[in-house]
Amino acid sequence: MKRLLTILLTLLVTALCAKSIIYVLNKNKQDNPGNQPNKTNAIYFWKTIWLLSDEERQFLTDHTISQIYIRYFDVYIEANPVETPVPEATIRFKEPVPENLEVIPTVFIDNDLFRYCKMNDFVQRLVNRIITMSETNNIRNIREVQLDCDWTKTTETDYFDFLKKVKAALASHNIKLSVTIRLHQLRMAAPPVDKGVLMCYNTGAIRDHETRNSILLANDVAPYAKRLKNYKLPLDLAYPTFSWAVWFSNDGKFQSLLRNANPADPNLIQTNGNNYRVATGFYQEGHYLAVDDQIRFESSGFDEILQIKKMLEHQLNHFSIILYHLDQTNLSKYTHDEINKMYTPFSDIR
């Protein structure tokens, strides 16, 4: 009897210990971010020539970038003699892509194509071109292709039908399909693909003279943020690191984007905030800016990005963060620590 009691007591203690160990292991799994799937640092490359500067190459190393979304080409409509899609601005690779980078070929598709063309006739041609470009430039092990299109409600049916066929064509090569999602598209049905990337920029009305910053303002993102949690598609997040200048005529009409304008230009006078007036007429990027024309300088503010990270990231699980895009001129405007914080999930920022 005494021996039986001893055995029962031993079994009870063993069971309690095992339960405690399981509890601790589960608690650690919940509390320790290191036990979560790795969140990938990624970046877009949106130039027509692949030739990295030493600083851009170092950026990839310093911030442990493992994925790069390379824009292969754009597709626009051409009416000659009938409406047909044609590739434009195809990238040229002047040097090999580092083998440690996973490349996601990315293609921009003009939304007008789905209004005027039978795009389903061009599915295989699109897929073949992406695969041929990859093989020609020794880019192996493609696991994902991304399509970028600002579709609308009127083109949604045709675009989604096109996506289904592209997805099936890629699946025969064991390649997944992702698409970009604009903020306003969160109000619409989720596209039939494997994954989306929410483009957290170009949030304001760029042609509106009264807009303060069309690239990124937290107030512009807020109305869409509540839709994120219940969106029916896994999402990664893309944040901007670019800047530009928006040129208006002297009566406030939008003229063009200027990529290389400088607020320190002696021909300009600051009027208020990020707004400037042309004091002396001059040429900029092939345009003549006349006296009293106006320029609004816009950038992707680090503090603004942090506000939006706080607003969005707690609603997602195991997402990757992508910056737009790999360009030393723009990236140099941020400190090493600021870039690291952009890549860090907001809940982990200290």
Side-chain angles (χ1 to χ4, degrees):
M1 184 67 178
K2 192 173 184 180
R3 186 180 175 193
L4 180 61
L5 287 173
T6 302
I7 293 173
L8 289 174
L9 184 61
T10 302
L11 290 172
L12 179 61
V13 170
T14 302
L16 289 172
C17 288
K19 189 174 181 180
S20 297
I21 291 170
I22 291 171
Y23 171 80
V24 169
L25 289 174
N26 286 336
K27 188 73 169 60
N28 284 342
K29 189 179 292 185
Q30 294 170 8
D31 294 344
N32 183 2
N35 287 330
Q36 299 296 327
N38 289 331
K39 298 175 177 65
T40 305
N41 289 355
I43 197 163
Y44 280 98
F45 185 86
W46 216 262
K47 303 176 186 179
T48 54
I49 295 177
W50 174 268
L51 182 64
L52 301 186
S53 67
D54 291 340
E55 293 83 2
E56 289 163 350
R57 200 177 301 280
Q58 190 62 45
F59 180 93
L60 297 175
T61 300
D62 290 346
H63 300 284
T64 58
I65 309 300
S66 58
Q67 288 183 334
I68 186 160
Y69 291 74
I70 298 179
R71 188 205 60 83
Y72 271 29
F73 54 90
D74 303 333
V75 185
Y76 285 96
I77 191 167
E78 181 178 273
N80 186 23
V82 295
E83 286 82 3
T84 183
V86 292
E88 296 184 9
T90 300
I91 192 170
R92 290 181 294 154
F93 290 90
K94 291 292 191 72
E95 64 181 7
V97 177
E99 292 184 0
N100 64 317
L101 286 177
E102 178 191 348
V103 172
I104 296 93
T106 303
V107 176
F108 171 80
I109 301 181
D110 182 19
N111 187 46
D112 279 344
L113 287 163
F114 298 98
R115 294 190 178 98
Y116 305 112
C117 301
K118 294 181 179 179
M119 287 298 290
N120 290 342
D121 296 341
F122 297 92
V123 167
Q124 199 57 55
R125 193 180 303 181
L126 174 76
V127 171
N128 289 346
R129 194 169 202 270
I130 292 170
I131 290 174
T132 299
M133 285 182 62
S134 300
E135 291 176 347
T136 301
N137 293 285
N138 201 31
I139 299 172
R140 306 295 180 184
N141 303 318
I142 299 296
R143 297 188 292 180
E144 176 188 338
V145 163
Q146 183 169 108
L147 299 184
D148 175 23
C149 178
D150 191 5
W151 87 92
T152 60
K153 200 64 182 174
T154 57
T155 59
E156 180 181 290
T157 299
D158 290 332
Y159 178 56
F160 283 17
D161 189 44
F162 175 76
L163 290 177
K164 290 175 185 176
K165 291 177 171 57
V166 173
K167 182 181 177 183
L170 288 171
S172 65
H173 298 276
N174 295 315
I175 298 173
K176 293 186 179 297
L177 177 62
S178 67
V179 297
T180 56
I181 308 290
R182 272 72 171 175
L183 285 162
H184 71 88
Q185 291 166 343
L186 290 175
R187 293 173 171 171
M188 303 159 68
V193 295
D194 298 296
K195 187 184 73 173
V197 174
L198 184 63
M199 316 304 277
C200 303
Y201 49 88
N202 294 356
T203 60
I206 192 170
R207 294 172 176 267
D208 187 344
H209 183 257
E210 301 304 317
T211 296
R212 183 158 62 90
N213 188 338
S214 67
I215 295 178
L216 192 67
L217 279 180
N219 288 342
D220 292 334
V221 177
Y224 303 97
K226 61 184 178 182
R227 299 178 180 272
L228 192 59
K229 190 171 185 179
N230 297 318
Y231 193 67
K232 305 300 183 182
L233 189 68
L235 289 175
D236 292 331
L237 297 173
Y239 297 116
T241 56
F242 64 91
S243 58
W244 58 32
V246 190
W247 168 37
F248 297 90
S249 60
N250 58 14
D251 58 355
K253 293 181 180 178
F254 172 82
Q255 299 299 304
S256 180
L257 280 178
L258 303 173
R259 303 285 178 176
N260 301 311
N262 189 333
D265 191 307
N267 296 303
L268 301 177
I269 294 177
Q270 185 176 16
T271 53
N272 64 287
N274 58 335
N275 294 297
Y276 288 71
R277 179 178 65 83
V278 177
T280 304
F282 68 105
Y283 283 93
Q284 177 71 45
E285 298 166 40
H287 304 287
Y288 182 72
L289 279 62
V291 173
D292 290 334
D293 282 0
Q294 301 160 61
I295 299 180
R296 183 176 69 222
F297 288 93
E298 300 183 345
S299 61
S300 314
F302 173 68
D303 291 338
E304 207 78 32
I305 291 173
L306 285 189
Q307 286 187 57
I308 291 167
K309 285 170 68 68
K310 181 179 181 180
M311 195 182 300
L312 300 179
E313 292 182 4
H314 69 280
Q315 302 183 65
L316 299 174
N317 294 314
H318 311 317
F319 56 91
S320 294
I321 292 173
I322 313 166
L323 297 187
Y324 181 92
H325 69 125
L326 186 58
D327 175 77
Q328 178 56 28
T329 301
N330 284 314
L331 291 170
S332 64
K333 297 173 184 176
Y334 304 93
T335 67
H336 180 89
D337 183 60
E338 286 174 341
I339 293 292
N340 278 345
K341 286 182 177 178
M342 289 184 203
Y343 275 125
T344 304
F346 190 83
S347 59
D348 295 338
I349 293 177
R350 297 290 181 262

